[in-house]
Amino acid sequence: MLEVNNLVKNYGKKEAVKNISFKIKPGEIYGFLGHNGAGKTTTIKACTGLLKPTSGVIKICGYDIVSQPLEAKKNFGYVPDNPYLYDKLTGREFLNVVSDVYMKRKSNDTVRKINSLLEELQMTNDADKLIGTYSHGMRRKITLCAALLHNPSVIFLDEPTNGLDASSARAAKDLIRKYADEGSAVLFTTHVLEIAEKLCDRIGIVNQGELIAEGSFEELKEKYKVFGSTLEDIFLNITEGRKEG
Ligand SMILES: Nc1ncnc2c1ncn2[C@@H]1O[C@H](COP(=O)(O)OP(=O)(O)OP(=O)(O)O)[C@@H](O)[C@H]1O
């Protein structure tokens, strides 16, 4: 569903992503973890066509993001780290614009889908307020609604729970799990390792642009035999001494 092969991305002389390869299957939530500056957002931006890879191939549902961008883009949803939103639209108007972009004809199903996403993310009461008046968490939740609206096969989530209160974060995690259970492949970044431990089916740890470990939480525990048993223990142990300064 998502295939990243030998991705390299340089910013001038800075090698931000160094030959990273991984795959995410339908139904799988892949936690993409790393310290600040490790290369996570750069990888996601390359996957979504916002940055051109220096080299390597990225395929979304078999479509190459560089040579077949329209077909690839129809198949994914994306919550960026810093979403750009239209402050003069209400949340509901924004979702309607997004649904017009993806769907040729608006049906009762679309209206129902918008209402149900708003409800699930506890945004019903704020849906008709201007986005310019939204808090950070509300902006993130409306962005997540927009990313899920067209039932994407691949979902990129760059820190989706950042700034959400406990109840909204739970709702977002439940929704992400539901989409994965229905067959979406999810790439998920977070610095909250407890969330990754509980939510992700597989973890990839990126360090200074390189993928240095990959596997389920159980596989990582078995492989690294770290004292203690949390993902945080494993993460800190295998990235120790490698953190970018
Ligand atoms: N536009 C840019 N120009 C030059 N260097 C950049 C640019 N964007 C990112 N970088 C560098 O590339 C490296 C990877 O950055 P990236 O944003 O991908 O990290 P990240 O893992 O998402 O970090 P964080 O967890 O802090 O969001 C960093 O060293 C960063 O300084």
PDB file of all heavy atoms in Angstrom, residues 78-79 83 85-86 90-95 98 114 117-118 121 123-124 126-129 131 134-149 164:
ATOM      1  N   TYR A  78      -3.672  13.356   4.728  1.00  0.00           N
ATOM      2  CA  TYR A  78      -2.434  13.845   5.360  1.00  0.00           C
ATOM      3  C   TYR A  78      -2.765  14.869   6.437  1.00  0.00           C
ATOM      4  O   TYR A  78      -3.477  15.840   6.180  1.00  0.00           O
ATOM      5  CB  TYR A  78      -1.579  14.463   4.243  1.00  0.00           C
ATOM      6  CG  TYR A  78      -0.310  15.189   4.647  1.00  0.00           C
ATOM      7  CD1 TYR A  78       0.473  14.779   5.722  1.00  0.00           C
ATOM      8  CD2 TYR A  78       0.132  16.275   3.897  1.00  0.00           C
ATOM      9  CE1 TYR A  78       1.647  15.452   6.047  1.00  0.00           C
ATOM     10  CE2 TYR A  78       1.306  16.948   4.210  1.00  0.00           C
ATOM     11  CZ  TYR A  78       2.059  16.532   5.286  1.00  0.00           C
ATOM     12  OH  TYR A  78       3.211  17.189   5.608  1.00  0.00           O
ATOM     13  N   VAL A  79      -2.255  14.637   7.625  1.00  0.00           N
ATOM     14  CA  VAL A  79      -2.286  15.667   8.676  1.00  0.00           C
ATOM     15  C   VAL A  79      -0.853  16.163   8.845  1.00  0.00           C
ATOM     16  O   VAL A  79       0.004  15.449   9.366  1.00  0.00           O
ATOM     17  CB  VAL A  79      -2.823  15.106  10.013  1.00  0.00           C
ATOM     18  CG1 VAL A  79      -2.706  16.162  11.115  1.00  0.00           C
ATOM     19  CG2 VAL A  79      -4.272  14.681   9.865  1.00  0.00           C
ATOM     20  N   PRO A  83      -0.502  22.475   9.975  1.00  0.00           N
ATOM     21  CA  PRO A  83      -1.490  22.558   8.902  1.00  0.00           C
ATOM     22  C   PRO A  83      -1.820  23.997   8.499  1.00  0.00           C
ATOM     23  O   PRO A  83      -1.944  24.870   9.358  1.00  0.00           O
ATOM     24  CB  PRO A  83      -2.728  21.870   9.476  1.00  0.00           C
ATOM     25  CG  PRO A  83      -2.489  21.706  10.921  1.00  0.00           C
ATOM     26  CD  PRO A  83      -1.031  21.889  11.197  1.00  0.00           C
ATOM     27  N   LEU A  85      -4.602  26.317   7.179  1.00  0.00           N
ATOM     28  CA  LEU A  85      -6.066  26.259   7.086  1.00  0.00           C
ATOM     29  C   LEU A  85      -6.609  27.621   6.662  1.00  0.00           C
ATOM     30  O   LEU A  85      -5.914  28.635   6.766  1.00  0.00           O
ATOM     31  CB  LEU A  85      -6.664  25.861   8.446  1.00  0.00           C
ATOM     32  CG  LEU A  85      -6.328  24.448   8.924  1.00  0.00           C
ATOM     33  CD1 LEU A  85      -6.757  24.258  10.362  1.00  0.00           C
ATOM     34  CD2 LEU A  85      -6.993  23.416   8.038  1.00  0.00           C
ATOM     35  N   TYR A  86      -7.849  27.627   6.189  1.00  0.00           N
ATOM     36  CA  TYR A  86      -8.472  28.877   5.738  1.00  0.00           C
ATOM     37  C   TYR A  86      -9.241  29.500   6.903  1.00  0.00           C
ATOM     38  O   TYR A  86     -10.328  29.049   7.253  1.00  0.00           O
ATOM     39  CB  TYR A  86      -9.409  28.598   4.557  1.00  0.00           C
ATOM     40  CG  TYR A  86      -8.687  28.005   3.390  1.00  0.00           C
ATOM     41  CD1 TYR A  86      -8.643  26.632   3.202  1.00  0.00           C
ATOM     42  CD2 TYR A  86      -8.005  28.819   2.485  1.00  0.00           C
ATOM     43  CE1 TYR A  86      -7.957  26.075   2.139  1.00  0.00           C
ATOM     44  CE2 TYR A  86      -7.309  28.272   1.421  1.00  0.00           C
ATOM     45  CZ  TYR A  86      -7.289  26.901   1.259  1.00  0.00           C
ATOM     46  OH  TYR A  86      -6.598  26.360   0.209  1.00  0.00           O
ATOM     47  N   THR A  90     -15.657  28.452   7.997  1.00  0.00           N
ATOM     48  CA  THR A  90     -15.974  27.671   9.195  1.00  0.00           C
ATOM     49  C   THR A  90     -15.402  26.268   9.001  1.00  0.00           C
ATOM     50  O   THR A  90     -15.061  25.885   7.870  1.00  0.00           O
ATOM     51  CB  THR A  90     -17.501  27.548   9.402  1.00  0.00           C
ATOM     52  OG1 THR A  90     -18.041  26.765   8.327  1.00  0.00           O
ATOM     53  CG2 THR A  90     -18.185  28.917   9.459  1.00  0.00           C
ATOM     54  N   GLY A  91     -15.337  25.510  10.083  1.00  0.00           N
ATOM     55  CA  GLY A  91     -14.846  24.137   9.985  1.00  0.00           C
ATOM     56  C   GLY A  91     -15.666  23.338   8.978  1.00  0.00           C
ATOM     57  O   GLY A  91     -15.117  22.619   8.143  1.00  0.00           O
ATOM     58  N   ARG A  92     -16.990  23.489   9.028  1.00  0.00           N
ATOM     59  CA  ARG A  92     -17.859  22.717   8.122  1.00  0.00           C
ATOM     60  C   ARG A  92     -17.641  23.152   6.669  1.00  0.00           C
ATOM     61  O   ARG A  92     -17.589  22.314   5.760  1.00  0.00           O
ATOM     62  CB  ARG A  92     -19.328  22.896   8.524  1.00  0.00           C
ATOM     63  CG  ARG A  92     -20.266  21.922   7.812  1.00  0.00           C
ATOM     64  CD  ARG A  92     -21.725  22.228   8.128  1.00  0.00           C
ATOM     65  NE  ARG A  92     -22.009  22.200   9.549  1.00  0.00           N
ATOM     66  CZ  ARG A  92     -22.194  21.068  10.258  1.00  0.00           C
ATOM     67  NH1 ARG A  92     -22.136  19.904   9.672  1.00  0.00           N
ATOM     68  NH2 ARG A  92     -22.448  21.141  11.561  1.00  0.00           N
ATOM     69  N   GLU A  93     -17.508  24.473   6.448  1.00  0.00           N
ATOM     70  CA  GLU A  93     -17.253  24.953   5.077  1.00  0.00           C
ATOM     71  C   GLU A  93     -15.937  24.382   4.545  1.00  0.00           C
ATOM     72  O   GLU A  93     -15.842  23.974   3.386  1.00  0.00           O
ATOM     73  CB  GLU A  93     -17.202  26.492   5.054  1.00  0.00           C
ATOM     74  CG  GLU A  93     -18.564  27.136   5.171  1.00  0.00           C
ATOM     75  CD  GLU A  93     -18.504  28.641   5.471  1.00  0.00           C
ATOM     76  OE1 GLU A  93     -17.420  29.158   5.837  1.00  0.00           O
ATOM     77  OE2 GLU A  93     -19.552  29.288   5.354  1.00  0.00           O
ATOM     78  N   PHE A  94     -14.930  24.349   5.402  1.00  0.00           N
ATOM     79  CA  PHE A  94     -13.630  23.801   4.994  1.00  0.00           C
ATOM     80  C   PHE A  94     -13.777  22.331   4.585  1.00  0.00           C
ATOM     81  O   PHE A  94     -13.271  21.897   3.544  1.00  0.00           O
ATOM     82  CB  PHE A  94     -12.622  23.967   6.136  1.00  0.00           C
ATOM     83  CG  PHE A  94     -11.314  23.280   5.903  1.00  0.00           C
ATOM     84  CD1 PHE A  94     -10.492  23.637   4.848  1.00  0.00           C
ATOM     85  CD2 PHE A  94     -10.892  22.260   6.757  1.00  0.00           C
ATOM     86  CE1 PHE A  94      -9.276  22.991   4.625  1.00  0.00           C
ATOM     87  CE2 PHE A  94      -9.680  21.614   6.541  1.00  0.00           C
ATOM     88  CZ  PHE A  94      -8.873  21.978   5.479  1.00  0.00           C
ATOM     89  N   LEU A  95     -14.511  21.557   5.387  1.00  0.00           N
ATOM     90  CA  LEU A  95     -14.696  20.136   5.057  1.00  0.00           C
ATOM     91  C   LEU A  95     -15.471  19.981   3.754  1.00  0.00           C
ATOM     92  O   LEU A  95     -15.210  19.074   2.957  1.00  0.00           O
ATOM     93  CB  LEU A  95     -15.400  19.405   6.204  1.00  0.00           C
ATOM     94  CG  LEU A  95     -14.611  19.341   7.515  1.00  0.00           C
ATOM     95  CD1 LEU A  95     -15.403  18.587   8.581  1.00  0.00           C
ATOM     96  CD2 LEU A  95     -13.251  18.672   7.319  1.00  0.00           C
ATOM     97  N   VAL A  98     -13.030  20.547   0.948  1.00  0.00           N
ATOM     98  CA  VAL A  98     -12.177  19.361   0.790  1.00  0.00           C
ATOM     99  C   VAL A  98     -12.952  18.242   0.099  1.00  0.00           C
ATOM    100  O   VAL A  98     -12.451  17.590  -0.822  1.00  0.00           O
ATOM    101  CB  VAL A  98     -11.635  18.889   2.164  1.00  0.00           C
ATOM    102  CG1 VAL A  98     -10.900  17.558   2.043  1.00  0.00           C
ATOM    103  CG2 VAL A  98     -10.712  19.950   2.753  1.00  0.00           C
ATOM    104  N   ILE A 114     -19.317  13.769   6.919  1.00  0.00           N
ATOM    105  CA  ILE A 114     -18.792  14.964   7.594  1.00  0.00           C
ATOM    106  C   ILE A 114     -19.359  15.034   9.013  1.00  0.00           C
ATOM    107  O   ILE A 114     -18.618  15.235   9.984  1.00  0.00           O
ATOM    108  CB  ILE A 114     -19.145  16.241   6.786  1.00  0.00           C
ATOM    109  CG1 ILE A 114     -18.325  16.283   5.491  1.00  0.00           C
ATOM    110  CG2 ILE A 114     -18.908  17.511   7.621  1.00  0.00           C
ATOM    111  CD1 ILE A 114     -18.655  17.431   4.554  1.00  0.00           C
ATOM    112  N   LEU A 117     -17.718  12.366  11.286  1.00  0.00           N
ATOM    113  CA  LEU A 117     -16.330  12.686  11.692  1.00  0.00           C
ATOM    114  C   LEU A 117     -16.322  13.808  12.729  1.00  0.00           C
ATOM    115  O   LEU A 117     -15.583  13.748  13.722  1.00  0.00           O
ATOM    116  CB  LEU A 117     -15.508  13.098  10.466  1.00  0.00           C
ATOM    117  CG  LEU A 117     -15.003  11.951   9.595  1.00  0.00           C
ATOM    118  CD1 LEU A 117     -14.472  12.480   8.262  1.00  0.00           C
ATOM    119  CD2 LEU A 117     -13.921  11.159  10.306  1.00  0.00           C
ATOM    120  N   LEU A 118     -17.149  14.834  12.501  1.00  0.00           N
ATOM    121  CA  LEU A 118     -17.227  15.942  13.460  1.00  0.00           C
ATOM    122  C   LEU A 118     -17.641  15.423  14.838  1.00  0.00           C
ATOM    123  O   LEU A 118     -17.084  15.799  15.868  1.00  0.00           O
ATOM    124  CB  LEU A 118     -18.223  17.001  12.974  1.00  0.00           C
ATOM    125  CG  LEU A 118     -17.769  17.857  11.776  1.00  0.00           C
ATOM    126  CD1 LEU A 118     -18.952  18.644  11.198  1.00  0.00           C
ATOM    127  CD2 LEU A 118     -16.648  18.811  12.176  1.00  0.00           C
ATOM    128  N   LEU A 121     -14.883  13.319  16.559  1.00  0.00           N
ATOM    129  CA  LEU A 121     -13.765  14.119  17.082  1.00  0.00           C
ATOM    130  C   LEU A 121     -14.252  15.275  17.961  1.00  0.00           C
ATOM    131  O   LEU A 121     -13.512  16.222  18.222  1.00  0.00           O
ATOM    132  CB  LEU A 121     -12.894  14.616  15.926  1.00  0.00           C
ATOM    133  CG  LEU A 121     -12.043  13.494  15.322  1.00  0.00           C
ATOM    134  CD1 LEU A 121     -11.364  13.934  14.043  1.00  0.00           C
ATOM    135  CD2 LEU A 121     -10.984  12.999  16.301  1.00  0.00           C
ATOM    136  N   MET A 123     -16.300  17.744  17.545  1.00  0.00           N
ATOM    137  CA  MET A 123     -16.220  19.060  16.921  1.00  0.00           C
ATOM    138  C   MET A 123     -17.597  19.575  16.474  1.00  0.00           C
ATOM    139  O   MET A 123     -17.681  20.648  15.866  1.00  0.00           O
ATOM    140  CB  MET A 123     -15.288  19.012  15.705  1.00  0.00           C
ATOM    141  CG  MET A 123     -13.816  19.034  16.048  1.00  0.00           C
ATOM    142  SD  MET A 123     -13.302  20.575  16.822  1.00  0.00           S
ATOM    143  CE  MET A 123     -13.348  21.703  15.429  1.00  0.00           C
ATOM    144  N   THR A 124     -18.668  18.839  16.771  1.00  0.00           N
ATOM    145  CA  THR A 124     -19.988  19.225  16.269  1.00  0.00           C
ATOM    146  C   THR A 124     -20.353  20.646  16.710  1.00  0.00           C
ATOM    147  O   THR A 124     -20.819  21.449  15.896  1.00  0.00           O
ATOM    148  CB  THR A 124     -21.051  18.216  16.760  1.00  0.00           C
ATOM    149  OG1 THR A 124     -20.627  16.924  16.334  1.00  0.00           O
ATOM    150  CG2 THR A 124     -22.421  18.522  16.181  1.00  0.00           C
ATOM    151  N   ASP A 126     -18.510  23.114  17.379  1.00  0.00           N
ATOM    152  CA  ASP A 126     -17.621  24.167  16.860  1.00  0.00           C
ATOM    153  C   ASP A 126     -17.577  24.202  15.334  1.00  0.00           C
ATOM    154  O   ASP A 126     -16.872  25.034  14.759  1.00  0.00           O
ATOM    155  CB  ASP A 126     -16.195  23.951  17.391  1.00  0.00           C
ATOM    156  CG  ASP A 126     -16.148  24.006  18.912  1.00  0.00           C
ATOM    157  OD1 ASP A 126     -16.579  25.022  19.468  1.00  0.00           O
ATOM    158  OD2 ASP A 126     -15.731  23.015  19.528  1.00  0.00           O
ATOM    159  N   ALA A 127     -18.324  23.297  14.704  1.00  0.00           N
ATOM    160  CA  ALA A 127     -18.210  23.140  13.246  1.00  0.00           C
ATOM    161  C   ALA A 127     -18.616  24.397  12.481  1.00  0.00           C
ATOM    162  O   ALA A 127     -18.109  24.651  11.386  1.00  0.00           O
ATOM    163  CB  ALA A 127     -19.063  21.960  12.790  1.00  0.00           C
ATOM    164  N   ASP A 128     -19.509  25.206  13.045  1.00  0.00           N
ATOM    165  CA  ASP A 128     -19.996  26.372  12.306  1.00  0.00           C
ATOM    166  C   ASP A 128     -19.349  27.673  12.781  1.00  0.00           C
ATOM    167  O   ASP A 128     -19.817  28.766  12.452  1.00  0.00           O
ATOM    168  CB  ASP A 128     -21.534  26.415  12.370  1.00  0.00           C
ATOM    169  CG  ASP A 128     -22.106  25.168  11.715  1.00  0.00           C
ATOM    170  OD1 ASP A 128     -21.790  24.942  10.525  1.00  0.00           O
ATOM    171  OD2 ASP A 128     -22.791  24.370  12.391  1.00  0.00           O
ATOM    172  N   LYS A 129     -18.255  27.536  13.502  1.00  0.00           N
ATOM    173  CA  LYS A 129     -17.467  28.719  13.892  1.00  0.00           C
ATOM    174  C   LYS A 129     -16.309  28.890  12.906  1.00  0.00           C
ATOM    175  O   LYS A 129     -15.830  27.906  12.314  1.00  0.00           O
ATOM    176  CB  LYS A 129     -16.894  28.540  15.302  1.00  0.00           C
ATOM    177  CG  LYS A 129     -17.979  28.461  16.367  1.00  0.00           C
ATOM    178  CD  LYS A 129     -17.355  28.249  17.728  1.00  0.00           C
ATOM    179  CE  LYS A 129     -18.458  28.023  18.764  1.00  0.00           C
ATOM    180  NZ  LYS A 129     -17.978  27.339  19.959  1.00  0.00           N
ATOM    181  N   ILE A 131     -12.683  29.102  11.427  1.00  0.00           N
ATOM    182  CA  ILE A 131     -11.439  28.414  11.789  1.00  0.00           C
ATOM    183  C   ILE A 131     -10.459  29.387  12.457  1.00  0.00           C
ATOM    184  O   ILE A 131      -9.701  29.010  13.350  1.00  0.00           O
ATOM    185  CB  ILE A 131     -10.814  27.748  10.537  1.00  0.00           C
ATOM    186  CG1 ILE A 131     -11.702  26.580  10.097  1.00  0.00           C
ATOM    187  CG2 ILE A 131      -9.391  27.270  10.808  1.00  0.00           C
ATOM    188  CD1 ILE A 131     -11.266  25.904   8.824  1.00  0.00           C
ATOM    189  N   TYR A 134     -10.394  29.108  16.080  1.00  0.00           N
ATOM    190  CA  TYR A 134     -10.124  27.792  16.679  1.00  0.00           C
ATOM    191  C   TYR A 134      -8.835  27.797  17.509  1.00  0.00           C
ATOM    192  O   TYR A 134      -7.865  28.475  17.172  1.00  0.00           O
ATOM    193  CB  TYR A 134      -9.961  26.721  15.583  1.00  0.00           C
ATOM    194  CG  TYR A 134     -11.233  26.184  14.991  1.00  0.00           C
ATOM    195  CD1 TYR A 134     -12.485  26.711  15.322  1.00  0.00           C
ATOM    196  CD2 TYR A 134     -11.203  25.130  14.082  1.00  0.00           C
ATOM    197  CE1 TYR A 134     -13.650  26.204  14.763  1.00  0.00           C
ATOM    198  CE2 TYR A 134     -12.369  24.613  13.528  1.00  0.00           C
ATOM    199  CZ  TYR A 134     -13.588  25.153  13.872  1.00  0.00           C
ATOM    200  OH  TYR A 134     -14.730  24.648  13.327  1.00  0.00           O
ATOM    201  N   SER A 135      -8.857  26.952  18.542  1.00  0.00           N
ATOM    202  CA  SER A 135      -7.639  26.692  19.313  1.00  0.00           C
ATOM    203  C   SER A 135      -6.729  25.764  18.494  1.00  0.00           C
ATOM    204  O   SER A 135      -7.157  25.184  17.483  1.00  0.00           O
ATOM    205  CB  SER A 135      -7.993  26.000  20.633  1.00  0.00           C
ATOM    206  OG  SER A 135      -8.473  24.694  20.353  1.00  0.00           O
ATOM    207  N   HIS A 136      -5.512  25.571  18.970  1.00  0.00           N
ATOM    208  CA  HIS A 136      -4.548  24.675  18.315  1.00  0.00           C
ATOM    209  C   HIS A 136      -5.142  23.257  18.175  1.00  0.00           C
ATOM    210  O   HIS A 136      -5.085  22.649  17.107  1.00  0.00           O
ATOM    211  CB  HIS A 136      -3.266  24.655  19.160  1.00  0.00           C
ATOM    212  CG  HIS A 136      -2.215  23.743  18.632  1.00  0.00           C
ATOM    213  ND1 HIS A 136      -1.549  23.982  17.451  1.00  0.00           N
ATOM    214  CD2 HIS A 136      -1.719  22.567  19.110  1.00  0.00           C
ATOM    215  CE1 HIS A 136      -0.688  23.004  17.232  1.00  0.00           C
ATOM    216  NE2 HIS A 136      -0.776  22.134  18.226  1.00  0.00           N
ATOM    217  N   GLY A 137      -5.714  22.767  19.261  1.00  0.00           N
ATOM    218  CA  GLY A 137      -6.273  21.410  19.245  1.00  0.00           C
ATOM    219  C   GLY A 137      -7.448  21.289  18.270  1.00  0.00           C
ATOM    220  O   GLY A 137      -7.585  20.284  17.567  1.00  0.00           O
ATOM    221  N   MET A 138      -8.292  22.324  18.238  1.00  0.00           N
ATOM    222  CA  MET A 138      -9.446  22.294  17.314  1.00  0.00           C
ATOM    223  C   MET A 138      -8.976  22.320  15.866  1.00  0.00           C
ATOM    224  O   MET A 138      -9.536  21.637  14.999  1.00  0.00           O
ATOM    225  CB  MET A 138     -10.369  23.489  17.601  1.00  0.00           C
ATOM    226  CG  MET A 138     -11.159  23.323  18.897  1.00  0.00           C
ATOM    227  SD  MET A 138     -11.606  24.904  19.627  1.00  0.00           S
ATOM    228  CE  MET A 138     -12.954  25.414  18.636  1.00  0.00           C
ATOM    229  N   ARG A 139      -7.911  23.069  15.574  1.00  0.00           N
ATOM    230  CA  ARG A 139      -7.360  23.111  14.206  1.00  0.00           C
ATOM    231  C   ARG A 139      -6.852  21.716  13.817  1.00  0.00           C
ATOM    232  O   ARG A 139      -7.018  21.258  12.704  1.00  0.00           O
ATOM    233  CB  ARG A 139      -6.211  24.129  14.116  1.00  0.00           C
ATOM    234  CG  ARG A 139      -6.668  25.566  14.296  1.00  0.00           C
ATOM    235  CD  ARG A 139      -5.495  26.515  14.390  1.00  0.00           C
ATOM    236  NE  ARG A 139      -4.945  26.840  13.085  1.00  0.00           N
ATOM    237  CZ  ARG A 139      -5.374  27.829  12.309  1.00  0.00           C
ATOM    238  NH1 ARG A 139      -6.368  28.603  12.709  1.00  0.00           N
ATOM    239  NH2 ARG A 139      -4.828  28.049  11.141  1.00  0.00           N
ATOM    240  N   ARG A 140      -6.218  21.053  14.773  1.00  0.00           N
ATOM    241  CA  ARG A 140      -5.687  19.723  14.505  1.00  0.00           C
ATOM    242  C   ARG A 140      -6.838  18.728  14.239  1.00  0.00           C
ATOM    243  O   ARG A 140      -6.768  17.883  13.366  1.00  0.00           O
ATOM    244  CB  ARG A 140      -4.869  19.269  15.720  1.00  0.00           C
ATOM    245  CG  ARG A 140      -3.764  18.328  15.385  1.00  0.00           C
ATOM    246  CD  ARG A 140      -2.513  18.629  16.125  1.00  0.00           C
ATOM    247  NE  ARG A 140      -1.646  19.414  15.283  1.00  0.00           N
ATOM    248  CZ  ARG A 140      -0.714  18.898  14.488  1.00  0.00           C
ATOM    249  NH1 ARG A 140      -0.536  17.614  14.412  1.00  0.00           N
ATOM    250  NH2 ARG A 140       0.039  19.677  13.758  1.00  0.00           N
ATOM    251  N   LYS A 141      -7.908  18.866  15.026  1.00  0.00           N
ATOM    252  CA  LYS A 141      -9.024  17.926  14.859  1.00  0.00           C
ATOM    253  C   LYS A 141      -9.737  18.136  13.524  1.00  0.00           C
ATOM    254  O   LYS A 141     -10.111  17.175  12.854  1.00  0.00           O
ATOM    255  CB  LYS A 141     -10.013  18.076  16.030  1.00  0.00           C
ATOM    256  CG  LYS A 141      -9.446  17.506  17.322  1.00  0.00           C
ATOM    257  CD  LYS A 141     -10.497  17.331  18.387  1.00  0.00           C
ATOM    258  CE  LYS A 141     -10.828  18.611  19.089  1.00  0.00           C
ATOM    259  NZ  LYS A 141     -11.841  18.413  20.150  1.00  0.00           N
ATOM    260  N   ILE A 142      -9.887  19.400  13.092  1.00  0.00           N
ATOM    261  CA  ILE A 142     -10.572  19.636  11.809  1.00  0.00           C
ATOM    262  C   ILE A 142      -9.680  19.159  10.659  1.00  0.00           C
ATOM    263  O   ILE A 142     -10.159  18.649   9.638  1.00  0.00           O
ATOM    264  CB  ILE A 142     -11.008  21.129  11.655  1.00  0.00           C
ATOM    265  CG1 ILE A 142     -12.268  21.236  10.785  1.00  0.00           C
ATOM    266  CG2 ILE A 142      -9.930  22.012  11.100  1.00  0.00           C
ATOM    267  CD1 ILE A 142     -13.527  20.854  11.422  1.00  0.00           C
ATOM    268  N   THR A 143      -8.356  19.256  10.852  1.00  0.00           N
ATOM    269  CA  THR A 143      -7.421  18.751   9.834  1.00  0.00           C
ATOM    270  C   THR A 143      -7.522  17.230   9.733  1.00  0.00           C
ATOM    271  O   THR A 143      -7.477  16.670   8.635  1.00  0.00           O
ATOM    272  CB  THR A 143      -5.969  19.151  10.190  1.00  0.00           C
ATOM    273  OG1 THR A 143      -5.950  20.537  10.483  1.00  0.00           O
ATOM    274  CG2 THR A 143      -5.018  18.874   9.050  1.00  0.00           C
ATOM    275  N   LEU A 144      -7.680  16.583  10.894  1.00  0.00           N
ATOM    276  CA  LEU A 144      -7.819  15.119  10.880  1.00  0.00           C
ATOM    277  C   LEU A 144      -9.127  14.724  10.187  1.00  0.00           C
ATOM    278  O   LEU A 144      -9.155  13.787   9.381  1.00  0.00           O
ATOM    279  CB  LEU A 144      -7.757  14.580  12.320  1.00  0.00           C
ATOM    280  CG  LEU A 144      -7.769  13.072  12.498  1.00  0.00           C
ATOM    281  CD1 LEU A 144      -6.659  12.384  11.699  1.00  0.00           C
ATOM    282  CD2 LEU A 144      -7.628  12.700  13.980  1.00  0.00           C
ATOM    283  N   CYS A 145     -10.213  15.456  10.472  1.00  0.00           N
ATOM    284  CA  CYS A 145     -11.495  15.198   9.769  1.00  0.00           C
ATOM    285  C   CYS A 145     -11.263  15.286   8.265  1.00  0.00           C
ATOM    286  O   CYS A 145     -11.697  14.414   7.498  1.00  0.00           O
ATOM    287  CB  CYS A 145     -12.553  16.241  10.121  1.00  0.00           C
ATOM    288  SG  CYS A 145     -13.219  16.138  11.772  1.00  0.00           S
ATOM    289  N   ALA A 146     -10.571  16.351   7.812  1.00  0.00           N
ATOM    290  CA  ALA A 146     -10.361  16.568   6.371  1.00  0.00           C
ATOM    291  C   ALA A 146      -9.519  15.441   5.769  1.00  0.00           C
ATOM    292  O   ALA A 146      -9.777  14.998   4.646  1.00  0.00           O
ATOM    293  CB  ALA A 146      -9.669  17.916   6.156  1.00  0.00           C
ATOM    294  N   ALA A 147      -8.544  14.962   6.531  1.00  0.00           N
ATOM    295  CA  ALA A 147      -7.651  13.921   6.006  1.00  0.00           C
ATOM    296  C   ALA A 147      -8.379  12.586   5.837  1.00  0.00           C
ATOM    297  O   ALA A 147      -7.997  11.767   5.006  1.00  0.00           O
ATOM    298  CB  ALA A 147      -6.458  13.739   6.948  1.00  0.00           C
ATOM    299  N   LEU A 148      -9.431  12.377   6.623  1.00  0.00           N
ATOM    300  CA  LEU A 148     -10.114  11.067   6.613  1.00  0.00           C
ATOM    301  C   LEU A 148     -11.367  11.057   5.742  1.00  0.00           C
ATOM    302  O   LEU A 148     -11.947   9.989   5.487  1.00  0.00           O
ATOM    303  CB  LEU A 148     -10.493  10.674   8.050  1.00  0.00           C
ATOM    304  CG  LEU A 148      -9.324  10.542   9.026  1.00  0.00           C
ATOM    305  CD1 LEU A 148      -9.836  10.221  10.434  1.00  0.00           C
ATOM    306  CD2 LEU A 148      -8.349   9.459   8.569  1.00  0.00           C
ATOM    307  N   LEU A 149     -11.759  12.222   5.271  1.00  0.00           N
ATOM    308  CA  LEU A 149     -13.059  12.399   4.599  1.00  0.00           C
ATOM    309  C   LEU A 149     -13.264  11.492   3.393  1.00  0.00           C
ATOM    310  O   LEU A 149     -14.359  11.002   3.153  1.00  0.00           O
ATOM    311  CB  LEU A 149     -13.134  13.875   4.182  1.00  0.00           C
ATOM    312  CG  LEU A 149     -14.463  14.515   3.940  1.00  0.00           C
ATOM    313  CD1 LEU A 149     -15.423  14.240   5.073  1.00  0.00           C
ATOM    314  CD2 LEU A 149     -14.249  16.030   3.796  1.00  0.00           C
ATOM    315  N   LEU A 164      -3.857  17.901  21.662  1.00  0.00           N
ATOM    316  CA  LEU A 164      -5.227  17.457  21.948  1.00  0.00           C
ATOM    317  C   LEU A 164      -5.386  17.149  23.441  1.00  0.00           C
ATOM    318  O   LEU A 164      -4.473  16.598  24.063  1.00  0.00           O
ATOM    319  CB  LEU A 164      -5.575  16.195  21.161  1.00  0.00           C
ATOM    320  CG  LEU A 164      -5.538  16.272  19.631  1.00  0.00           C
ATOM    321  CD1 LEU A 164      -6.245  15.054  19.027  1.00  0.00           C
ATOM    322  CD2 LEU A 164      -6.195  17.535  19.116  1.00  0.00           C
TER     323      LEU A 164
END
